[in-house]
Amino acid sequence: MKTIISKGKNINEAIQRGLIVLNATIEDVTIEIVQNEAKGFLKIGSRDAIVKLIMRDSVFSPKSEASTQTDSHTTLEDIVNQIPTKETDWNEQEAERNVANHFTEETVGKAWVKDGQLYVKSAPKQLAMITITDGVKLLKDEQVIKERKVIVTENETYVLQTKNEQTPTKWSIKLSPQKLKVLLHVEPGYKLTRSIPDHKPEKHLTIHAKQIKEAYNELTYDIVLQKLHALKISRGVNEEAIREASQAKTPGSFEIATGLEAKQGKDGWVEALVQLKMQQGPKELENGRVDFRDSKEIPSVKVGEVVGIVHPPIAGQDGWTVTNEQISSKPTYPVNLVIGKGMELVNELLVAIEAGRPHLEQRGRMVKVKILRKLTHRGNVDITTGNIRFTGDVEVIGNIDESMLVEAEGDIIVHKEVNQATVTASGAVFCYGNVSGSELSAGKNNMIVAELGKIVGPLSFQTENIIAAIRQLIQSPAFKNGDFSIGGLQPLIRILLEKKFKSFSSLAKKYVKVVRKADRFLEREEWKEVSSEMAQVFLSISSKPVSVERVVQLSQKLKELYQVSQTPVEPDSSIILPSAANSSLFCSGDISITGKGCVNTKIHASGHLTINGIVRGEKSTAKWA
């Protein structure tokens, strides 16, 4: 017969504890009440209930068996009420010993958890200890125990509790600086639900909580719309993205509104329909020698041939922000077309009216087109022939001798040597022979504009300061009472130049000198107009009174010319020669020395510099290729 003594605060608890130890149900046992509970006063005289449980699989009489059978509607309280009470002279300490003796060895001196309830079975020489982990609270007599490790006994009442957590959803809306995008960043919160699983009996029991973490997104579609309304975001709203963000279970960013960026247009331009660029250098043979005769042909057109198309500007498209503000596209302008010799504009078509080499030069919106004719000089250029100045290409079959000058608005090709001469081309310079003691310049117009730009910049800056000083002085009583208001500002300007702007006069004289010297190579009349006005206002006595408005207009023209000088030009210039000695080479494009090299030569190339052979005593301002 398997029998166990069980104790509890009341009869029901004592029976339940006994059933847990026996792993049995109420129908499997016979119950005897050994001792009823007593509450006492302030726990004085209180005692627990004690019952005796006998397993039914033991041999007992049919009568006993019948007497303990219950129907399916019998409750535990009904059974307790039917149990015969066997009150005897019971010693509580003896009952404790009997209870301990009847518990199985698996639970003695241990603690365990069943259905969220902590159970403890003490032993005479062994007390159980428990460790509480995060998420679990232990209460003793309705007071929370703060210690993590606790010795527990079966005489105390313990309650285990868990704490559920919930974090809120975090979200923010960010508007891009251009107001073209609205990003909604969402970090969903979570719900943390904890429960205490069953724990097997242990002498040192660590009680942990089982937790279930679920994403929790409390952001709603209406909340986002209210925020957008507060930010005055009303255009380009993506409702689907807002719904997706409100249902998100993981952190993420969503573009919930998008504006329309302005589409920029295009200024007018010239589309070339023919080849414009010349051969960039002679061809190198397999044996390493250079054949100057084997080069690409110079581009040329016939009379009536269409050289290019002048395209009108293409207007841009305005955009809008998410706050319904218009984003205007930049204005577009037609090409500033300058038609030179040999070219004519027919219904937006550039047509050659002369045979020759087509030439196109572009600086910003200004495009100059023309047909360059070719002059072929069969002999040497010497004292008997005189200098050569030509508005197209020049080809010299012989030498260019000492102190001679060859200038061309196109390219210059020299088949033999250049000795102590000056060769100046707006395009390229090709020399088949050596260059000695000479000055070669290619891309002359570009170089002059760059040189003038270095002067115009300081002039423009100082002119603005002069205007500011004039406006300040004309407010004084001395100016109003003097002759300045009648005879003009030139006397006042001269005083300012002598006392405060001492370097201005020398800069202005330098500008006028460069313009006069390069008159043939300056294609824009503005350079010459500013030079004339500069001389009249600052360097001489003008017959026309000088007013503040006149100086302001001159200052504005200086600003415009400085901007022109800073606008990059598409280089079509180059210098190619086999060797150079004691010479100066200036080019707005690339320079290539293909033969023996160079000695004691000053080189300036805005593009790349390539030198084969020796380099000795050379001074260069260029990017080495």
Side-chain angles (χ1 to χ4, degrees):
M1 177 184 296
K2 191 172 183 180
T3 305
I4 188 170
I5 302 297
S6 178
K7 183 176 72 171
K9 292 181 180 180
N10 50 49
I11 298 297
N12 289 341
E13 183 177 313
I15 294 173
Q16 289 287 6
R17 288 186 174 185
L19 293 175
I20 290 172
V21 174
L22 293 174
N23 194 21
T25 63
I26 194 68
E27 291 84 1
D28 298 331
V29 297
T30 300
I31 303 170
E32 293 181 4
I33 296 177
V34 178
Q35 173 179 288
N36 285 314
E37 73 273 11
K39 293 184 178 180
F41 178 73
L42 296 178
K43 293 189 177 181
I44 299 175
S46 63
R47 63 182 183 182
D48 293 336
I50 301 175
V51 297
K52 182 178 181 181
L53 305 181
I54 305 169
M55 290 297 294
R56 283 182 174 273
D57 54 3
S58 302
V59 178
F60 51 87
S61 64
K63 181 179 179 179
S64 299
E65 183 177 1
S67 64
T68 57
Q69 289 179 350
T70 62
D71 57 29
S72 59
H73 299 289
T74 305
T75 64
L76 181 60
E77 292 184 2
D78 296 332
I79 296 174
V80 170
N81 292 330
Q82 297 175 10
I83 297 174
T85 302
K86 187 178 180 180
E87 292 280 2
T88 60
D89 294 335
W90 185 265
N91 184 284
E92 186 171 351
Q93 293 182 353
E94 183 180 356
E96 292 284 350
R97 289 194 296 271
N98 290 337
V99 170
N101 292 335
H102 285 85
F103 270 89
T104 62
E105 295 182 0
E106 294 181 357
T107 60
V108 174
K110 299 178 181 180
W112 67 96
V113 176
K114 179 71 174 178
D115 297 330
Q117 176 66 43
L118 175 65
Y119 295 94
V120 181
K121 178 56 188 173
S122 301
K125 296 183 179 181
Q126 177 67 48
L127 296 179
M129 183 173 69
I130 63 173
T131 298
I132 304 299
T133 60
D134 293 337
V136 179
K137 288 197 301 183
L138 177 66
L139 282 72
K140 176 182 176 183
D141 296 331
E142 299 181 353
Q143 298 294 322
V144 177
I145 298 177
K146 297 181 179 181
E147 291 79 8
R148 288 281 185 173
K149 294 184 178 181
V150 182
I151 298 294
V152 292
T153 64
E154 61 180 303
N155 296 325
E156 303 292 343
T157 301
Y158 302 99
V159 176
L160 293 174
Q161 291 182 352
T162 57
K163 181 180 179 181
N164 297 330
E165 296 180 11
Q166 180 173 321
T167 60
T169 300
K170 296 179 181 180
W171 62 279
S172 61
I173 288 180
K174 185 177 181 180
L175 180 62
S176 67
Q178 296 79 19
K179 299 183 180 181
L180 289 172
K181 288 184 179 180
V182 179
L183 293 180
L184 170 60
H185 183 72
V186 182
E187 292 184 19
Y190 62 87
K191 291 180 178 179
L192 196 62
T193 304
R194 293 187 176 97
S195 61
I196 301 177
D198 292 348
H199 291 66
K200 294 181 179 180
E202 298 284 350
K203 293 180 180 178
H204 183 179
L205 178 65
T206 299
I207 302 177
H208 59 84
K210 178 181 179 182
Q211 58 186 28
I212 299 175
K213 188 175 182 180
E214 295 179 302
Y216 175 69
N217 189 348
E218 57 187 344
L219 182 65
T220 65
Y221 177 86
D222 292 337
I223 291 176
V224 177
L225 285 186
Q226 290 175 7
K227 184 64 175 179
L228 293 180
H229 180 72
L231 295 173
K232 297 182 179 180
I233 297 170
S234 58
R235 194 164 183 182
V237 177
N238 188 341
E239 297 181 355
E240 184 61 31
I242 297 176
R243 292 189 179 92
E244 185 179 352
S246 64
Q247 298 172 3
K249 299 301 182 183
T250 57
S253 295
F254 303 84
E255 188 173 325
I256 60 173
T258 307
L260 178 64
E261 189 172 1
K263 183 179 180 181
Q264 302 303 330
K266 184 178 182 181
D267 290 337
W269 75 100
V270 175
E271 178 187 0
L273 301 180
V274 297
Q275 178 67 29
L276 297 175
K277 293 187 178 181
M278 291 185 61
Q279 162 69 18
Q280 294 300 312
K283 184 178 180 180
E284 183 177 352
L285 302 178
E286 294 181 358
N287 58 9
R289 294 185 177 182
V290 176
D291 187 355
F292 287 90
R293 295 168 296 180
D294 187 12
S295 61
K296 294 182 181 179
E297 295 182 0
I298 298 174
S300 62
V301 293
K302 300 177 183 179
V303 176
E305 188 172 352
V306 178
V307 176
I309 303 175
V310 180
H311 292 276
I314 300 174
Q317 181 181 353
D318 293 345
W320 40 264
T321 67
V322 293
T323 54
N324 203 23
E325 301 171 77
Q326 184 176 354
I327 304 175
S328 300
S329 60
K330 294 181 180 179
T332 56
Y333 303 94
V335 65
N336 183 10
L337 186 65
V338 179
I339 300 178
K341 295 180 180 180
M343 198 81 74
E344 188 173 313
L345 182 63
V346 181
N347 296 329
E348 309 302 328
L349 299 178
L350 289 169
V351 182
I353 58 176
E354 293 181 8
R357 181 167 71 90
H359 177 77
L360 183 148
E361 181 180 339
Q362 181 171 356
R363 184 184 291 275
R365 293 197 305 270
M366 189 197 77
V367 177
K368 182 175 182 180
V369 293
K370 59 185 175 181
I371 297 295
L372 296 176
R373 294 175 296 163
K374 182 178 180 181
L375 171 65
T376 302
H377 184 78
R378 296 292 176 180
N380 297 335
V381 178
D382 53 25
I383 194 66
T384 61
T385 63
N387 295 328
I388 296 178
R389 293 182 175 90
F390 190 64
T391 57
D393 296 333
V394 174
E395 184 175 8
V396 179
I397 305 300
N399 299 324
I400 301 178
D401 292 341
E402 182 179 351
S403 301
M404 300 310 295
L405 170 68
V406 177
E407 288 184 353
E409 291 188 13
D411 298 338
I412 297 177
I413 301 174
V414 183
H415 285 262
K416 294 185 179 180
E417 296 182 352
V418 180
N419 297 310
Q420 300 182 30
T422 301
V423 178
T424 303
S426 295
V429 175
F430 297 96
C431 294
Y432 292 177
N434 297 324
V435 175
S436 177
S438 299
E439 180 178 322
L440 273 61
S441 299
K444 187 67 176 178
N445 177 56
N446 298 333
M447 294 180 63
I448 292 173
V449 170
E451 182 180 355
L452 287 173
K454 295 178 182 179
I455 306 173
V456 169
L459 280 176
S460 176
F461 177 75
Q462 291 197 39
T463 302
E464 289 184 351
N465 291 336
I466 290 173
I467 293 171
I470 291 173
R471 285 175 171 167
Q472 183 178 359
L473 289 173
I474 61 178
Q475 300 298 324
S476 66
F479 178 85
K480 294 179 180 179
N481 297 330
D483 297 330
F484 297 116
S485 58
I486 301 173
L489 296 175
Q490 271 200 322
L492 179 60
I493 290 174
R494 288 186 178 279
I495 295 173
L496 288 172
L497 296 183
E498 290 175 4
K499 300 296 183 180
K500 286 188 170 294
F501 303 96
K502 297 179 181 181
S503 64
F504 185 87
S505 295
S506 60
L507 279 173
K509 290 177 181 178
K510 184 177 181 181
Y511 174 83
V512 173
K513 183 179 179 180
V514 172
V515 170
R516 288 175 180 173
K517 184 179 179 181
D519 179 61
R520 296 181 60 255
F521 296 97
L522 289 172
E523 297 169 343
R524 292 179 66 112
E525 292 297 325
E526 291 90 336
W527 296 103
K528 304 171 187 177
E529 293 173 359
V530 169
S531 174
S532 175
E533 188 73 1
M534 184 78 65
Q536 292 181 28
V537 173
F538 295 106
L539 303 179
S540 63
I541 299 175
S542 176
S543 58
K544 181 180 177 182
V546 177
S547 63
V548 177
E549 290 74 18
R550 187 177 178 183
V551 182
V552 170
Q553 290 176 3
L554 177 57
S555 175
Q556 184 62 36
K557 290 180 180 179
L558 285 170
K559 284 183 182 178
E560 293 174 358
L561 289 179
Y562 179 70
Q563 291 176 354
V564 169
S565 69
Q566 299 304 303
T567 304
V569 66
E570 297 181 1
D572 193 21
S573 61
S574 60
I575 295 178
I576 300 176
L577 67 161
S579 65
N582 304 313
S583 298
S584 297
L585 309 178
F586 301 89
C587 183
S588 61
D590 301 335
I591 295 179
S592 297
I593 300 177
T594 60
K596 296 181 180 180
C598 62
V599 177
N600 297 330
T601 297
K602 182 180 179 181
I603 301 174
H604 172 83
S606 299
H608 291 90
L609 172 63
T610 304
I611 300 178
N612 295 330
I614 64 171
V615 179
R616 185 182 305 159
E618 170 264 344
K619 182 179 180 182
S620 67
T621 306
K623 300 177 183 177
W624 286 85

